[in-house]
Amino acid sequence: MTEASNPLTLRERELGPFTYLELQHPAQSTWRHWRLRRDERNVAWLLFDHADSNANLLCVAAMTELGDVLASLRRDMPAALVIRSAKPSGFCMGADLKDFRQLDNEADAVRQLVDAHLLAQQLIDLPCPTLAVLHGETLGGGLELALCCDMRLATPDTRTGLPEIRVGLHPGLGATARLPDLIDPMLAMRMMLTGTALGAEQAHKAGLLDQVAAEHKLRPLIEDALNGRLALRRRNLKARPFRLDWVRRLAALAMRRQAGAKADPRHYPAAEALIELWQRHGGQPDLLLHREIYSFARLINSPTSRHLIQLFFQRQRLKELAAGKESRRLSQLHLIGDSGDGIQLAALAALAGLRVSVGGSAASMSACIGQIRRLARDEAQRQQALDALVFDPQHHGVALADALIDGQQADMEQRRAQLQTLETSLRPQALVLSFADPVEPLRAALGDAGRLLGLRFASPERGALVEIAAHSTSRTISQQHARQLVGQLGCLPLPVSSQPGLLLRRVLAPWLLEAMLLLEEGASADAIEQAALAFGCPQGPLAIAEGWGLSHCLALFERLHGERDTPLAEPPAILRNSVEQGRTSLLDPKRRRWKTGKARSAKLSADQSDRLLLSLLNSAVRACRQGIVSDADMLDAALVLAGYFPPFRGGPLCHARETGHAAIVQRLRELSNDLGPRFAPDPGWQPVVEDAAPGEPLQAG
Amino acid sequence: MDSQTNHSASAPADVFLIDGLRTPWVNAATLQTSGFGLLDLALQCGAPLLLRCAVPAHRLDSLILAADGESQVHPLRKRLRLDSTTELYQCSHGLSAVALACQQIRSGDADLVLVISADLQATPQEPLLTSARRTARMFDIQDEDASAFAEASRLRAGDAEQGGLTARHRITLFDSQGRTHNEDQADAVAGACALLLASTAGLQQLKRTPLAQLGAGTHAQAPPEYPTLAPLLASTRLLRQRRLSLDDIDQWELPESPALALLSHLAAWQDADFCHRQLELEQPVGRLDPCSLNIHGGSLALGTLSAGDGCRQLLQLADSLQRHALSRGIVCDQHADGHARALLISHPQETSA
């Protein structure tokens, strides 16, 4: 990828009769997304050049046009056909998910898929030799198209993969049949089940690519290929045993076990559908192609896939928020204080190539070095990141920094004093990003409070969601800058308004509180956690509370309890006691033993599960109404991407919408009659007229 | 320029030492466990120095690495993330690198020069010891005098360390495991020292007050049998060239290891016959006040590094001149191959006022 974006190597690309310069301008041809031209020996070169995007997407329009192209070729058959991409980024990123969003019934989906399959078959049936020349990202539909060609050449930066499983689908343009036919079926299934891409070398070894060569060495290889002199290895010995039903059945058993361990098949049906497809029809590729259509059409209409595709676009939207001007890239940070979040940020920044001066203690510098060692991809990146890190206890780095990161843990007075002294040497456009919660008290310390923003990592992993909290006088340009910084770190920015708990903890607090109340009432902790896990949450509420730290939870609950607009219920005594006793877990071993003596059922009643779920939904609606986050979509994306809400359900508000607001409001009213005002439906609920039977448990599935 | 500095009128431009940093001097055992490479050490004092002086990467005109062995200045530039327009040089001794930097600045080719010296092994002392014993016999220096001097030097170094004077320009080293090293170790074999040199224009760009102004420098080569005479020759030449007497110099940083060589050097300056015959002086140079010599100790306490010592001494002297508001000092280094370089430095206010 980096190689491809270098302007010099761009000029080196082998484009047959096309020149590099003419590709800079829109195509002057009959088709918007394809460029076709024949060279002096009557070899047709077909360049895929999606008109409205920087990367090729196999959208419906491009497919229709491809049909026309093939028809025109059939009228005047060339000596051979070479297919390439005109985009520097890669061959093709796969199907356009926007098209999938519009499919709302199986019949339409089947119709479209049949058309696409006929097209693929036309490409295969073309009497002249066909050659795909690949580079960069060759994913999903793009790879499936390349599989329809007789031969495949590729440059070393090629990555081939079938990532459909990530949006709850399996390949839909014949790869389920053609890939296991071409390469080791176990590898093919692994590619489709995990969605991981193969590098060029791996793919060449597997037999997926016939030859890998650098751009400037492609021409003689293309010559050879078209003249039939290219050595092809098409004897797929490893596929032989899998023609037997019982071998496939055995192999499928192991695959099911592995796939089931990764994702619950009840929630994510694609893996099971794919395995089933292969197990039943793997011996007859033609039938498999046919069945693939119906299986794909069924999956694309499943809520799981719909939600995962929606999540893909939401993630895209967050990424776009992080996009910024190249000239505005931040290049230097200064960290003060020793907090874990600050160290995390410093390490990520150093790994992302920013210079970081660490103004905390020597221990925090050591911690930062440790963090980099853990996170670095390889030795070279580790070295580079460590070189970018400078220990700077006298805060000389402030003068050069684009952003001052406040990771102090001292009390507010000291924090303010420190910021006040450092701000004098800070550049006028530099940001001040603080991990303080809330950031408002720091405003007074700064001469220019418009540059102050709050930050919080949703999780300690790389690529995590980062909440960026703007207070009432934060400048828009500062917010943009901060989002860009988060993007540079490889994280997703989530702009929220600065309120206690920001967005995530604010939304989750009532859920955690309800879980603690249930615990207090005598429900078993296991049952509470199990209910959440069965719903699909990656973590139960009690585990989350312990992850945040109980004293933090208590402080947050108390602050939310003090709010004027629909305050949170009183923090439960069980939490208070645990914090007073300095415990880190709500599960007192002694008390646990006493509880098992009473032999409680391990499952929550429907009522209790409803209490848990509804407290979460109610609080999500409340946060959305209060405008903590820009819109409902963003809130859904945040809770899913932060790993709190199950992705296949699309987020709390999406789940509420699909369950039916009326039913939920009805249920909330019942609960608030029984249990008190904490369940009073938030004014933000909009009772949509939908038919859901009231009173029925809402946690189906 | 006022009349006081007319002796440096031949120099077309002033050269300033803006600031300097060095790593702790590290012994062989630590070097082994921490896994530092030459460039790791160079980088860990170079990067904080650039940060401390707020030098943006594209402002630096040239980078000079003083280190033994093959050329490593290219990877160093990459690791320091300097601009590709930065000129790169490498030489083997600290003060030679400083002299080269001065030359570039005086000729107007550069405004900001970063000099980094780095070592991974100690200088072999054997040839110097032989020479020191031979010269000591000439000037009747006893071994007891040498050990007394060495003891006193170590005490001075200890006092400076205790008083926090050494730490002023010393950074904390972090190895790749995150362990810290922040004290000089005895019998050191490795260390690095970074100095930022600037012209008047460079100084104005950075808006900083310099630590010292660098004056003239001289180079001398001793006869091959007596390599330890080189500092004597170089510093005498510097005094004579600038028409200075011992009284004009407030502080000295002379190579003190082996101690016999330094004591012979001092004795030679008082020896009328030697001064007349060998140094072609009419009068003996005189007696150097021991209180102005190596006031914070030196390589006897720390160990001798071939590239780093010169830079460390220069930094130490500049710092001490500034702290005591003294006007002039001379620093001199010494190499096992019989070369030496002496450099005159002065307090910047004194001359540019």
Side-chain angles (χ1 to χ4, degrees), chain B residues 68-150:
Chain B
D68 273 333
E70 80 250 42
S71 168
Q72 302 208 53
V73 64
H74 281 273
L76 177 61
R77 173 180 69 188
K78 204 172 150 206
R79 287 182 61 179
L80 275 171
R81 301 206 202 171
L82 297 178
D83 226 37
S84 59
T85 52
T86 311
E87 300 252 16
L88 304 178
Y89 301 90
Q90 182 163 357
C91 54
S92 50
H93 299 299
L95 284 189
S96 316
V98 172
L100 179 58
C102 291
Q103 209 175 6
Q104 290 179 355
I105 291 172
R106 293 215 171 93
S107 68
D109 289 343
D111 283 326
L112 278 178
V113 183
L114 180 64
V115 174
I116 301 183
S117 63
D119 294 86
L120 275 189
Q121 51 192 24
T123 322
Q125 292 282 297
E126 213 38 58
L128 292 177
L129 269 175
T130 318
S131 158
R133 284 204 194 93
R134 289 171 71 176
T135 48
R137 206 172 304 138
M138 289 184 232
F139 298 103
D140 198 24
I141 308 291
Q142 303 300 317
D143 279 352
E144 293 82 70
D145 302 339
S147 38
F149 179 84

Side-chain angles (χ1 to χ4, degrees), chain A residues 538-613:
Chain A
Q539 250 185 322
L542 299 174
I544 293 174
E546 280 164 22
W548 291 357
L550 295 185
S551 52
H552 173 92
C553 281
L554 182 59
L556 178 66
F557 288 177
E558 272 168 355
R559 262 165 52 212
L560 291 177
H561 177 60
E563 283 195 343
R564 222 179 303 155
D565 177 9
T566 48
L568 194 68
E570 185 79 31
I574 184 170
L575 179 62
R576 274 189 200 285
N577 292 341
S578 298
V579 173
E580 267 164 29
Q581 289 162 20
R583 280 190 277 132
T584 54
S585 166
L586 286 168
L587 309 176
D588 186 9
K590 268 188 234 154
R591 188 158 166 194
R592 212 170 182 185
R593 228 173 291 131
W594 171 74
K595 261 162 74 181
T596 41
K598 279 197 164 183
R600 282 171 196 282
S601 71
K603 258 189 142 177
L604 290 189
S605 68
D607 242 22
Q608 286 171 322
S609 331
D610 273 6
R611 275 172 59 183
L612 274 179
L613 177 64

Side-chain angles (χ1 to χ4, degrees), chain A residues 297-508:
Chain A
R298 205 164 31 248
L299 285 177
I300 196 131
N301 277 297
S302 70
T304 298
S305 169
R306 217 170 38 242
H307 292 147
L308 290 178
I309 289 176
Q310 185 185 329
L311 184 66
F312 171 85
F313 284 108
Q314 286 165 344
R315 184 191 284 271
Q316 212 72 350
R317 200 176 141 201
L318 289 176
K319 271 191 197 156
E320 275 159 27
L321 278 180
K325 285 194 191 128
E326 189 62 25
S327 58
R328 286 248 188 76
R329 280 176 79 84
L330 288 85
S331 61
Q332 185 136 11
L333 302 185
H334 184 77
L335 169 72
I336 54 175
D338 297 341
S339 79
D341 280 329
I343 288 164
Q344 160 90 355
L345 181 82
L348 284 177
L351 285 165
L354 282 86
R355 289 162 187 270
V356 182
S357 45
V358 179
S361 63
S364 71
M365 177 78 177
S366 297
C368 208
I369 292 173
Q371 189 81 276
I372 287 174
R373 283 166 56 81
R374 256 195 306 286
L375 293 173
R377 236 180 300 116
D378 50 28
E379 182 60 25
Q381 199 201 16
R382 187 184 66 87
Q383 178 75 70
Q384 219 174 0
L386 290 184
D387 286 354
L389 213 59
V390 178
F391 181 53
D392 181 24
Q394 282 142 21
H395 305 296
H396 295 289
V398 177
L400 288 178
D402 295 314
L404 177 66
I405 311 296
D406 166 34
Q408 300 177 86
Q409 287 167 318
D411 62 72
M412 218 22 110
E413 269 321 303
Q414 278 174 355
R415 290 180 92 141
R416 272 199 212 131
Q418 175 77 303
L419 280 180
Q420 201 157 14
T421 38
L422 292 183
E423 203 207 3
T424 49
S425 42
L426 203 59
R427 299 190 310 171
Q429 64 274 43
L431 297 172
V432 178
L433 303 175
S434 175
F435 286 102
D437 177 21
V439 291
E440 274 80 2
L442 292 177
R443 261 192 333 192
L446 295 176
D448 171 16
R451 58 167 100 189
L452 173 70
L453 289 164
L455 279 192
R456 178 178 285 137
F457 283 98
S459 67
E461 289 119 48
R462 234 178 153 173
L465 197 72
V466 181
E467 292 174 88
I468 303 176
H471 58 82
S472 54
T473 54
S474 293
R475 258 197 305 277
T476 321
I477 186 81
S478 305
Q479 296 177 31
Q480 238 171 48
H481 252 118
R483 291 203 298 265
Q484 187 172 0
L485 170 67
V486 169
Q488 273 178 275
L489 303 186
C491 296
L492 294 170
L494 176 76
V496 299
S497 79
S498 171
Q499 293 291 330
L502 304 190
L503 174 72
L504 292 173
R505 297 193 175 193
R506 193 178 176 81
V507 170
L508 293 172

